[in-house]
Amino acid sequence: MSLPPAKRERFREISERLTELGQEFAKNIRENTTRLQFTVEECDGLPQSWLDRVPRDDDGNVVVSFDYPDYVPFIMNARNEEARRRYWFAYTNRGTPRNLEVLDEIVALRKEIADLYEVPSFAHYVTKRNMVETPETVNRFLTEVRNVVTQAELRDLGALAELKAEMTGLPVEQARIQRWDAAFYRERLREQRYAIDQEALRKYFPTPAMVAWMLDVTSRLYGLRFERATVPLWHEDVIYLDVFNAGGVRASSRASEGAPEARTTPIGGIYLDLYPRDGKYKHAAAWPVRGVSARTGRKPISALVTNFNREGLTHDEVETLLHEFGHVLHGVLSNTYYLAHSGTSVERDFVEAPSQMYEEWASRVESLALLRTHVGDAPAIDESLVQRLRASNKFGAGVDYGRQLLYASFDMALASENPGRTLDVWSLMEGATPMGYVDGTQFPGTFEHIASGYAAGYYGYMWAKAIALDLLSAFGADIMNDEVGRRFRTMILSRGSEEPARVMVERFLERPVASDAFFVHIGGE
Ligand SMILES: [Zn+2]
């Protein structure tokens, strides 16, 4: 929809201001130099490797920042509740009060964009380009999620409160799980109930072998061959792979791919940059380096960037590896006529579906059985370990999805017709959850997704997860079924955004999309 000139000018001003505000918001968090001190006694429970790494002050106290590697192990492992509370409280306020003002201005400007386009809300403006099409579909979905997740969250918190009572000697009625308790007791429960210690899993999942395994699984599933190639690289750790169609496979709807030259000419390329180094991006991500265009003969290239331990991966990291590689495959296996339709250029609430789907290959006997040929002397993964991993991953789904639901609902509220002040909206909404709102906390000032391009789109993580689990159902009991894999490649991955995601997904499933599998998943147990 095009705007008349005066409105177009105002839209341009708003867009520029939103970019500035988004950058300021991120900067206020990133450049927050606050440090907290904890005595060594307050750090009881933390792994020795963490204690060896963090700096000390002159009195021998540990000095920590708001970086994940400082904070996450602390909140998961520190036995001292008051220390956890103090760190959690500061962490929740790390956005600084200024970020609340920034966010209020962002929200008001977005409402003005909706007014310029004469739609009722910013959510209407955003969702019309998404799979859901309207805010009503999102809100209906979130209501369905709430119906399932509330019970699951209360059940999880009940189990954690029992453990807290047992470990602290408090009567269970007084052992209420606070926000700074949830991660700690959840880890303890995982250890007790499922005998899963993420750190100890690294010996089962040697990093280079896991990459070889993932390429093996992918080759079988989608009819591919990966070959290391010599190209200019930005660091000696980086690997480049040519991607070929495996011999005799006619994997795509496009006739050219089944032709003999497709077996000797790469269909695309992949950079793998797996290990940490100074100055490198700190998270895990996949980026399209170049999109495909069958019209001009452009080959797609994607990059996978992670910061893995060289020795081995935790199970969570195996899932991360597969997740990001799912994005890579969406880019590299796409074979669209136009560049504009290539790879991950799909609706924003669909883009996480293929990647979330691929995580499942980390937790199934059929795919993990293929590890044997890659891991050498590493201990074997038996069925009992796979079952325990699955059960342990499931535990806490109520707490996790309760939080996701709150984030998504808050995001939709700020993008609604009457947004209100962000902290007021948040304290009311968080106050209505089982763990409640803690006075003086300012979580919205840290919520970068909402300040950036994810506004009115946070629901997309859960929506795409529902699609992912629905897609997965096509594989049934055998996740290595290559006939389904090739159909998935042809009907979804190779198509990019040539058609609306819903049309392609429903053609693949041969039925309308359904969220049943997702509701079972978030219900846990
Ligand atoms: Zn992703």
PDB file of all heavy atoms in Angstrom, residues 36 38 71 74-75 78 80-93 178-181 438-439 441:
ATOM      1  N   LEU A  36      28.953  -6.490  39.824  1.00  0.00           N
ATOM      2  CA  LEU A  36      28.495  -6.926  41.140  1.00  0.00           C
ATOM      3  C   LEU A  36      29.596  -7.744  41.804  1.00  0.00           C
ATOM      4  O   LEU A  36      30.334  -8.456  41.117  1.00  0.00           O
ATOM      5  CB  LEU A  36      27.240  -7.797  41.021  1.00  0.00           C
ATOM      6  CG  LEU A  36      25.925  -7.061  40.776  1.00  0.00           C
ATOM      7  CD1 LEU A  36      25.722  -6.847  39.293  1.00  0.00           C
ATOM      8  CD2 LEU A  36      24.767  -7.823  41.370  1.00  0.00           C
ATOM      9  N   PHE A  38      30.502 -10.670  44.686  1.00  0.00           N
ATOM     10  CA  PHE A  38      29.998 -11.751  45.536  1.00  0.00           C
ATOM     11  C   PHE A  38      31.172 -12.380  46.269  1.00  0.00           C
ATOM     12  O   PHE A  38      32.254 -12.544  45.686  1.00  0.00           O
ATOM     13  CB  PHE A  38      29.284 -12.818  44.696  1.00  0.00           C
ATOM     14  CG  PHE A  38      28.001 -12.326  44.093  1.00  0.00           C
ATOM     15  CD1 PHE A  38      27.971 -11.858  42.783  1.00  0.00           C
ATOM     16  CD2 PHE A  38      26.823 -12.307  44.833  1.00  0.00           C
ATOM     17  CE1 PHE A  38      26.788 -11.379  42.221  1.00  0.00           C
ATOM     18  CE2 PHE A  38      25.640 -11.828  44.285  1.00  0.00           C
ATOM     19  CZ  PHE A  38      25.618 -11.364  42.978  1.00  0.00           C
ATOM     20  N   TYR A  71      26.466 -14.638  34.104  1.00  0.00           N
ATOM     21  CA  TYR A  71      25.170 -14.682  34.769  1.00  0.00           C
ATOM     22  C   TYR A  71      24.525 -16.073  34.762  1.00  0.00           C
ATOM     23  O   TYR A  71      24.050 -16.556  35.795  1.00  0.00           O
ATOM     24  CB  TYR A  71      24.224 -13.668  34.111  1.00  0.00           C
ATOM     25  CG  TYR A  71      22.835 -13.672  34.700  1.00  0.00           C
ATOM     26  CD1 TYR A  71      22.611 -13.155  35.976  1.00  0.00           C
ATOM     27  CD2 TYR A  71      21.757 -14.210  33.997  1.00  0.00           C
ATOM     28  CE1 TYR A  71      21.337 -13.168  36.535  1.00  0.00           C
ATOM     29  CE2 TYR A  71      20.488 -14.223  34.551  1.00  0.00           C
ATOM     30  CZ  TYR A  71      20.280 -13.703  35.813  1.00  0.00           C
ATOM     31  OH  TYR A  71      19.030 -13.721  36.366  1.00  0.00           O
ATOM     32  N   PHE A  74      25.644 -18.733  37.179  1.00  0.00           N
ATOM     33  CA  PHE A  74      25.378 -18.301  38.554  1.00  0.00           C
ATOM     34  C   PHE A  74      23.927 -18.579  38.932  1.00  0.00           C
ATOM     35  O   PHE A  74      23.637 -19.194  39.959  1.00  0.00           O
ATOM     36  CB  PHE A  74      25.691 -16.803  38.700  1.00  0.00           C
ATOM     37  CG  PHE A  74      25.786 -16.345  40.134  1.00  0.00           C
ATOM     38  CD1 PHE A  74      27.025 -16.216  40.749  1.00  0.00           C
ATOM     39  CD2 PHE A  74      24.646 -16.046  40.872  1.00  0.00           C
ATOM     40  CE1 PHE A  74      27.126 -15.797  42.077  1.00  0.00           C
ATOM     41  CE2 PHE A  74      24.735 -15.629  42.203  1.00  0.00           C
ATOM     42  CZ  PHE A  74      25.974 -15.508  42.801  1.00  0.00           C
ATOM     43  N   ILE A  75      23.007 -18.143  38.087  1.00  0.00           N
ATOM     44  CA  ILE A  75      21.585 -18.266  38.417  1.00  0.00           C
ATOM     45  C   ILE A  75      21.164 -19.742  38.417  1.00  0.00           C
ATOM     46  O   ILE A  75      20.241 -20.149  39.111  1.00  0.00           O
ATOM     47  CB  ILE A  75      20.720 -17.396  37.451  1.00  0.00           C
ATOM     48  CG1 ILE A  75      19.395 -17.019  38.097  1.00  0.00           C
ATOM     49  CG2 ILE A  75      20.520 -18.036  36.109  1.00  0.00           C
ATOM     50  CD1 ILE A  75      19.509 -15.994  39.198  1.00  0.00           C
ATOM     51  N   ALA A  78      24.248 -21.235  41.839  1.00  0.00           N
ATOM     52  CA  ALA A  78      24.606 -20.674  43.148  1.00  0.00           C
ATOM     53  C   ALA A  78      23.592 -21.134  44.200  1.00  0.00           C
ATOM     54  O   ALA A  78      22.388 -20.928  44.043  1.00  0.00           O
ATOM     55  CB  ALA A  78      24.654 -19.153  43.077  1.00  0.00           C
ATOM     56  N   ASN A  80      23.224 -20.075  47.289  1.00  0.00           N
ATOM     57  CA  ASN A  80      22.785 -19.020  48.193  1.00  0.00           C
ATOM     58  C   ASN A  80      21.632 -18.229  47.568  1.00  0.00           C
ATOM     59  O   ASN A  80      21.810 -17.510  46.583  1.00  0.00           O
ATOM     60  CB  ASN A  80      23.993 -18.105  48.470  1.00  0.00           C
ATOM     61  CG  ASN A  80      23.677 -17.022  49.472  1.00  0.00           C
ATOM     62  OD1 ASN A  80      22.641 -16.368  49.394  1.00  0.00           O
ATOM     63  ND2 ASN A  80      24.585 -16.820  50.415  1.00  0.00           N
ATOM     64  N   GLU A  81      20.441 -18.354  48.165  1.00  0.00           N
ATOM     65  CA  GLU A  81      19.262 -17.729  47.553  1.00  0.00           C
ATOM     66  C   GLU A  81      19.372 -16.212  47.511  1.00  0.00           C
ATOM     67  O   GLU A  81      19.012 -15.584  46.513  1.00  0.00           O
ATOM     68  CB  GLU A  81      17.972 -18.137  48.289  1.00  0.00           C
ATOM     69  CG  GLU A  81      16.749 -17.441  47.677  1.00  0.00           C
ATOM     70  CD  GLU A  81      15.397 -17.932  48.186  1.00  0.00           C
ATOM     71  OE1 GLU A  81      15.346 -18.982  48.855  1.00  0.00           O
ATOM     72  OE2 GLU A  81      14.403 -17.250  47.899  1.00  0.00           O
ATOM     73  N   GLU A  82      19.865 -15.600  48.588  1.00  0.00           N
ATOM     74  CA  GLU A  82      19.971 -14.145  48.616  1.00  0.00           C
ATOM     75  C   GLU A  82      20.941 -13.645  47.531  1.00  0.00           C
ATOM     76  O   GLU A  82      20.701 -12.616  46.899  1.00  0.00           O
ATOM     77  CB  GLU A  82      20.393 -13.676  50.019  1.00  0.00           C
ATOM     78  CG  GLU A  82      20.661 -12.178  50.157  1.00  0.00           C
ATOM     79  CD  GLU A  82      19.556 -11.258  49.609  1.00  0.00           C
ATOM     80  OE1 GLU A  82      18.380 -11.674  49.532  1.00  0.00           O
ATOM     81  OE2 GLU A  82      19.890 -10.116  49.228  1.00  0.00           O
ATOM     82  N   ALA A  83      22.008 -14.387  47.293  1.00  0.00           N
ATOM     83  CA  ALA A  83      22.957 -14.000  46.238  1.00  0.00           C
ATOM     84  C   ALA A  83      22.294 -14.093  44.863  1.00  0.00           C
ATOM     85  O   ALA A  83      22.446 -13.202  44.023  1.00  0.00           O
ATOM     86  CB  ALA A  83      24.200 -14.890  46.300  1.00  0.00           C
ATOM     87  N   ARG A  84      21.540 -15.167  44.653  1.00  0.00           N
ATOM     88  CA  ARG A  84      20.823 -15.302  43.373  1.00  0.00           C
ATOM     89  C   ARG A  84      19.839 -14.153  43.200  1.00  0.00           C
ATOM     90  O   ARG A  84      19.710 -13.576  42.129  1.00  0.00           O
ATOM     91  CB  ARG A  84      20.049 -16.631  43.316  1.00  0.00           C
ATOM     92  CG  ARG A  84      20.874 -17.862  43.103  1.00  0.00           C
ATOM     93  CD  ARG A  84      20.005 -19.030  42.599  1.00  0.00           C
ATOM     94  NE  ARG A  84      18.824 -19.276  43.402  1.00  0.00           N
ATOM     95  CZ  ARG A  84      18.781 -20.076  44.468  1.00  0.00           C
ATOM     96  NH1 ARG A  84      19.861 -20.713  44.867  1.00  0.00           N
ATOM     97  NH2 ARG A  84      17.652 -20.241  45.138  1.00  0.00           N
ATOM     98  N   ARG A  85      19.108 -13.837  44.298  1.00  0.00           N
ATOM     99  CA  ARG A  85      18.107 -12.766  44.217  1.00  0.00           C
ATOM    100  C   ARG A  85      18.772 -11.440  43.845  1.00  0.00           C
ATOM    101  O   ARG A  85      18.301 -10.720  42.985  1.00  0.00           O
ATOM    102  CB  ARG A  85      17.362 -12.610  45.549  1.00  0.00           C
ATOM    103  CG  ARG A  85      16.120 -11.710  45.455  1.00  0.00           C
ATOM    104  CD  ARG A  85      15.733 -11.085  46.793  1.00  0.00           C
ATOM    105  NE  ARG A  85      16.803 -10.244  47.323  1.00  0.00           N
ATOM    106  CZ  ARG A  85      17.064  -8.997  46.903  1.00  0.00           C
ATOM    107  NH1 ARG A  85      16.325  -8.443  45.960  1.00  0.00           N
ATOM    108  NH2 ARG A  85      18.073  -8.312  47.413  1.00  0.00           N
ATOM    109  N   ARG A  86      19.891 -11.138  44.470  1.00  0.00           N
ATOM    110  CA  ARG A  86      20.575  -9.863  44.237  1.00  0.00           C
ATOM    111  C   ARG A  86      21.057  -9.752  42.782  1.00  0.00           C
ATOM    112  O   ARG A  86      20.875  -8.723  42.130  1.00  0.00           O
ATOM    113  CB  ARG A  86      21.764  -9.764  45.208  1.00  0.00           C
ATOM    114  CG  ARG A  86      22.539  -8.473  45.138  1.00  0.00           C
ATOM    115  CD  ARG A  86      23.244  -8.184  46.468  1.00  0.00           C
ATOM    116  NE  ARG A  86      24.298  -9.135  46.813  1.00  0.00           N
ATOM    117  CZ  ARG A  86      25.566  -9.013  46.417  1.00  0.00           C
ATOM    118  NH1 ARG A  86      25.923  -8.012  45.643  1.00  0.00           N
ATOM    119  NH2 ARG A  86      26.473  -9.902  46.781  1.00  0.00           N
ATOM    120  N   TYR A  87      21.634 -10.834  42.266  1.00  0.00           N
ATOM    121  CA  TYR A  87      22.134 -10.823  40.880  1.00  0.00           C
ATOM    122  C   TYR A  87      20.950 -10.727  39.910  1.00  0.00           C
ATOM    123  O   TYR A  87      20.947  -9.935  38.966  1.00  0.00           O
ATOM    124  CB  TYR A  87      22.953 -12.096  40.626  1.00  0.00           C
ATOM    125  CG  TYR A  87      23.969 -12.029  39.493  1.00  0.00           C
ATOM    126  CD1 TYR A  87      24.920 -13.056  39.351  1.00  0.00           C
ATOM    127  CD2 TYR A  87      24.005 -10.986  38.569  1.00  0.00           C
ATOM    128  CE1 TYR A  87      25.864 -13.034  38.331  1.00  0.00           C
ATOM    129  CE2 TYR A  87      24.945 -10.961  37.544  1.00  0.00           C
ATOM    130  CZ  TYR A  87      25.865 -11.986  37.431  1.00  0.00           C
ATOM    131  OH  TYR A  87      26.797 -11.971  36.418  1.00  0.00           O
ATOM    132  N   TRP A  88      19.919 -11.538  40.160  1.00  0.00           N
ATOM    133  CA  TRP A  88      18.740 -11.548  39.283  1.00  0.00           C
ATOM    134  C   TRP A  88      18.105 -10.160  39.207  1.00  0.00           C
ATOM    135  O   TRP A  88      17.746  -9.680  38.128  1.00  0.00           O
ATOM    136  CB  TRP A  88      17.717 -12.578  39.803  1.00  0.00           C
ATOM    137  CG  TRP A  88      16.413 -12.512  39.060  1.00  0.00           C
ATOM    138  CD1 TRP A  88      16.104 -13.132  37.881  1.00  0.00           C
ATOM    139  CD2 TRP A  88      15.244 -11.762  39.433  1.00  0.00           C
ATOM    140  NE1 TRP A  88      14.819 -12.815  37.498  1.00  0.00           N
ATOM    141  CE2 TRP A  88      14.276 -11.973  38.433  1.00  0.00           C
ATOM    142  CE3 TRP A  88      14.933 -10.926  40.512  1.00  0.00           C
ATOM    143  CZ2 TRP A  88      13.011 -11.384  38.484  1.00  0.00           C
ATOM    144  CZ3 TRP A  88      13.677 -10.341  40.554  1.00  0.00           C
ATOM    145  CH2 TRP A  88      12.730 -10.576  39.550  1.00  0.00           C
ATOM    146  N   PHE A  89      17.965  -9.503  40.371  1.00  0.00           N
ATOM    147  CA  PHE A  89      17.316  -8.190  40.437  1.00  0.00           C
ATOM    148  C   PHE A  89      18.103  -7.173  39.599  1.00  0.00           C
ATOM    149  O   PHE A  89      17.540  -6.442  38.780  1.00  0.00           O
ATOM    150  CB  PHE A  89      17.215  -7.731  41.899  1.00  0.00           C
ATOM    151  CG  PHE A  89      16.331  -6.527  42.096  1.00  0.00           C
ATOM    152  CD1 PHE A  89      14.978  -6.671  42.363  1.00  0.00           C
ATOM    153  CD2 PHE A  89      16.860  -5.239  42.001  1.00  0.00           C
ATOM    154  CE1 PHE A  89      14.155  -5.559  42.536  1.00  0.00           C
ATOM    155  CE2 PHE A  89      16.044  -4.122  42.169  1.00  0.00           C
ATOM    156  CZ  PHE A  89      14.693  -4.283  42.438  1.00  0.00           C
ATOM    157  N   ALA A  90      19.419  -7.156  39.786  1.00  0.00           N
ATOM    158  CA  ALA A  90      20.259  -6.218  39.024  1.00  0.00           C
ATOM    159  C   ALA A  90      20.184  -6.528  37.527  1.00  0.00           C
ATOM    160  O   ALA A  90      20.094  -5.624  36.691  1.00  0.00           O
ATOM    161  CB  ALA A  90      21.704  -6.305  39.515  1.00  0.00           C
ATOM    162  N   TYR A  91      20.203  -7.816  37.213  1.00  0.00           N
ATOM    163  CA  TYR A  91      20.178  -8.252  35.807  1.00  0.00           C
ATOM    164  C   TYR A  91      18.874  -7.814  35.131  1.00  0.00           C
ATOM    165  O   TYR A  91      18.870  -7.380  33.982  1.00  0.00           O
ATOM    166  CB  TYR A  91      20.321  -9.777  35.773  1.00  0.00           C
ATOM    167  CG  TYR A  91      20.526 -10.351  34.396  1.00  0.00           C
ATOM    168  CD1 TYR A  91      21.772 -10.278  33.775  1.00  0.00           C
ATOM    169  CD2 TYR A  91      19.485 -10.984  33.714  1.00  0.00           C
ATOM    170  CE1 TYR A  91      21.971 -10.811  32.512  1.00  0.00           C
ATOM    171  CE2 TYR A  91      19.685 -11.522  32.451  1.00  0.00           C
ATOM    172  CZ  TYR A  91      20.926 -11.434  31.858  1.00  0.00           C
ATOM    173  OH  TYR A  91      21.122 -11.956  30.614  1.00  0.00           O
ATOM    174  N   THR A  92      17.771  -7.907  35.864  1.00  0.00           N
ATOM    175  CA  THR A  92      16.459  -7.548  35.327  1.00  0.00           C
ATOM    176  C   THR A  92      16.341  -6.033  35.118  1.00  0.00           C
ATOM    177  O   THR A  92      15.496  -5.571  34.362  1.00  0.00           O
ATOM    178  CB  THR A  92      15.360  -8.075  36.276  1.00  0.00           C
ATOM    179  OG1 THR A  92      15.601  -9.459  36.490  1.00  0.00           O
ATOM    180  CG2 THR A  92      13.977  -7.918  35.691  1.00  0.00           C
ATOM    181  N   ASN A  93      17.204  -5.275  35.787  1.00  0.00           N
ATOM    182  CA  ASN A  93      17.207  -3.815  35.629  1.00  0.00           C
ATOM    183  C   ASN A  93      18.365  -3.308  34.771  1.00  0.00           C
ATOM    184  O   ASN A  93      18.636  -2.110  34.747  1.00  0.00           O
ATOM    185  CB  ASN A  93      17.258  -3.146  37.005  1.00  0.00           C
ATOM    186  CG  ASN A  93      15.920  -3.257  37.712  1.00  0.00           C
ATOM    187  OD1 ASN A  93      14.961  -2.602  37.348  1.00  0.00           O
ATOM    188  ND2 ASN A  93      15.844  -4.131  38.691  1.00  0.00           N
ATOM    189  N   GLN A 178      10.554 -18.620  43.584  1.00  0.00           N
ATOM    190  CA  GLN A 178      10.670 -17.236  43.139  1.00  0.00           C
ATOM    191  C   GLN A 178      11.363 -17.203  41.781  1.00  0.00           C
ATOM    192  O   GLN A 178      11.938 -18.190  41.345  1.00  0.00           O
ATOM    193  CB  GLN A 178      11.498 -16.434  44.153  1.00  0.00           C
ATOM    194  CG  GLN A 178      11.001 -16.542  45.585  1.00  0.00           C
ATOM    195  CD  GLN A 178       9.705 -15.786  45.834  1.00  0.00           C
ATOM    196  OE1 GLN A 178       9.224 -15.063  44.961  1.00  0.00           O
ATOM    197  NE2 GLN A 178       9.123 -15.961  47.011  1.00  0.00           N
ATOM    198  N   ARG A 179      11.323 -16.043  41.146  1.00  0.00           N
ATOM    199  CA  ARG A 179      11.919 -15.939  39.806  1.00  0.00           C
ATOM    200  C   ARG A 179      13.407 -16.302  39.820  1.00  0.00           C
ATOM    201  O   ARG A 179      13.927 -16.818  38.849  1.00  0.00           O
ATOM    202  CB  ARG A 179      11.727 -14.537  39.241  1.00  0.00           C
ATOM    203  CG  ARG A 179      10.263 -14.197  39.072  1.00  0.00           C
ATOM    204  CD  ARG A 179       9.954 -13.503  37.764  1.00  0.00           C
ATOM    205  NE  ARG A 179       8.508 -13.423  37.606  1.00  0.00           N
ATOM    206  CZ  ARG A 179       7.790 -14.199  36.813  1.00  0.00           C
ATOM    207  NH1 ARG A 179       8.379 -15.098  36.063  1.00  0.00           N
ATOM    208  NH2 ARG A 179       6.483 -14.085  36.750  1.00  0.00           N
ATOM    209  N   TRP A 180      14.094 -16.000  40.923  1.00  0.00           N
ATOM    210  CA  TRP A 180      15.532 -16.293  40.989  1.00  0.00           C
ATOM    211  C   TRP A 180      15.801 -17.743  41.415  1.00  0.00           C
ATOM    212  O   TRP A 180      16.946 -18.145  41.548  1.00  0.00           O
ATOM    213  CB  TRP A 180      16.221 -15.324  41.960  1.00  0.00           C
ATOM    214  CG  TRP A 180      15.525 -15.228  43.288  1.00  0.00           C
ATOM    215  CD1 TRP A 180      15.716 -16.031  44.371  1.00  0.00           C
ATOM    216  CD2 TRP A 180      14.512 -14.293  43.656  1.00  0.00           C
ATOM    217  NE1 TRP A 180      14.881 -15.666  45.394  1.00  0.00           N
ATOM    218  CE2 TRP A 180      14.129 -14.593  44.987  1.00  0.00           C
ATOM    219  CE3 TRP A 180      13.874 -13.225  42.991  1.00  0.00           C
ATOM    220  CZ2 TRP A 180      13.142 -13.870  45.673  1.00  0.00           C
ATOM    221  CZ3 TRP A 180      12.899 -12.514  43.676  1.00  0.00           C
ATOM    222  CH2 TRP A 180      12.543 -12.834  45.005  1.00  0.00           C
ATOM    223  N   ASP A 181      14.706 -18.497  41.663  1.00  0.00           N
ATOM    224  CA  ASP A 181      14.848 -19.901  42.068  1.00  0.00           C
ATOM    225  C   ASP A 181      14.677 -20.875  40.912  1.00  0.00           C
ATOM    226  O   ASP A 181      15.189 -21.998  40.949  1.00  0.00           O
ATOM    227  CB  ASP A 181      13.745 -20.281  43.082  1.00  0.00           C
ATOM    228  CG  ASP A 181      13.966 -19.697  44.457  1.00  0.00           C
ATOM    229  OD1 ASP A 181      15.137 -19.449  44.813  1.00  0.00           O
ATOM    230  OD2 ASP A 181      12.959 -19.500  45.168  1.00  0.00           O
ATOM    231  N   VAL A 438       7.868  -8.633  40.639  1.00  0.00           N
ATOM    232  CA  VAL A 438       8.666  -8.205  41.786  1.00  0.00           C
ATOM    233  C   VAL A 438       8.842  -6.688  41.713  1.00  0.00           C
ATOM    234  O   VAL A 438       9.363  -6.169  40.719  1.00  0.00           O
ATOM    235  CB  VAL A 438      10.038  -8.912  41.803  1.00  0.00           C
ATOM    236  CG1 VAL A 438      10.894  -8.395  42.947  1.00  0.00           C
ATOM    237  CG2 VAL A 438       9.845 -10.422  41.915  1.00  0.00           C
ATOM    238  N   ASP A 439       8.385  -5.993  42.767  1.00  0.00           N
ATOM    239  CA  ASP A 439       8.453  -4.525  42.789  1.00  0.00           C
ATOM    240  C   ASP A 439       9.866  -4.029  42.526  1.00  0.00           C
ATOM    241  O   ASP A 439      10.826  -4.567  43.074  1.00  0.00           O
ATOM    242  CB  ASP A 439       7.987  -3.991  44.151  1.00  0.00           C
ATOM    243  CG  ASP A 439       6.470  -3.965  44.239  1.00  0.00           C
ATOM    244  OD1 ASP A 439       5.816  -3.912  43.170  1.00  0.00           O
ATOM    245  OD2 ASP A 439       5.945  -4.016  45.368  1.00  0.00           O
ATOM    246  N   THR A 441      11.430  -4.068  39.653  1.00  0.00           N
ATOM    247  CA  THR A 441      12.084  -4.641  38.472  1.00  0.00           C
ATOM    248  C   THR A 441      11.548  -3.985  37.207  1.00  0.00           C
ATOM    249  O   THR A 441      10.406  -3.522  37.165  1.00  0.00           O
ATOM    250  CB  THR A 441      11.873  -6.161  38.375  1.00  0.00           C
ATOM    251  OG1 THR A 441      10.474  -6.442  38.338  1.00  0.00           O
ATOM    252  CG2 THR A 441      12.515  -6.861  39.553  1.00  0.00           C
TER     253      THR A 441
END
